Amino acid sequence: MRQSLRDKIIQVCEQKIEKKGEGVGVSFYAFFANKNSDPELLMEAATWWIQTHQLDHFEKALKIKEMVQQGL
């Protein structure tokens, strides 16, 4: 996964955790605007989330942040 996407995921997860606590969940759509302006990047996130790691639609933001920071 490209570094810019990793940075965005970490940033969004940190914001969500700060606002709603460590139990807050996210889906990979949380890292994108409602308008699909970058389908290639969206597919990169979806592939990492669904195919590579077989994650549920919603996962804990803390878990996703830690996975990305570990380079998974």
Side-chain angles (χ1 to χ4, degrees), residues 13-25:
C13 286
E14 286 176 345
Q15 289 171 348
K16 298 245 181 222
I17 292 166
E18 186 177 310
K19 275 186 169 178
K20 298 188 177 188
E22 290 186 358
V24 68

Side-chain angles (χ1 to χ4, degrees), residues 52-71:
T52 304
H53 296 288
Q54 300 177 348
L55 298 169
D56 290 336
H57 185 72
F58 283 97
E59 292 285 350
K60 301 289 183 203
L62 186 60
K63 173 183 176 179
I64 299 303
K65 177 185 166 190
E66 289 172 353
M67 287 176 71
V68 171
Q69 287 175 325
Q70 293 171 8

Side-chain angles (χ1 to χ4, degrees), residues 10-45:
I10 291 168
Q11 174 191 19
V12 169
C13 286
E14 286 176 345
Q15 289 171 348
K16 298 245 181 222
I17 292 166
E18 186 177 310
K19 275 186 169 178
K20 298 188 177 188
E22 290 186 358
V24 68
V26 293
S27 78
F28 68 88
Y29 290 112
F31 314 120
F32 299 92
N34 287 338
K35 186 176 180 184
N36 187 8
S37 59
D38 192 342
E40 185 178 312
L41 191 61
L42 178 63
M43 288 306 297
E44 188 174 331

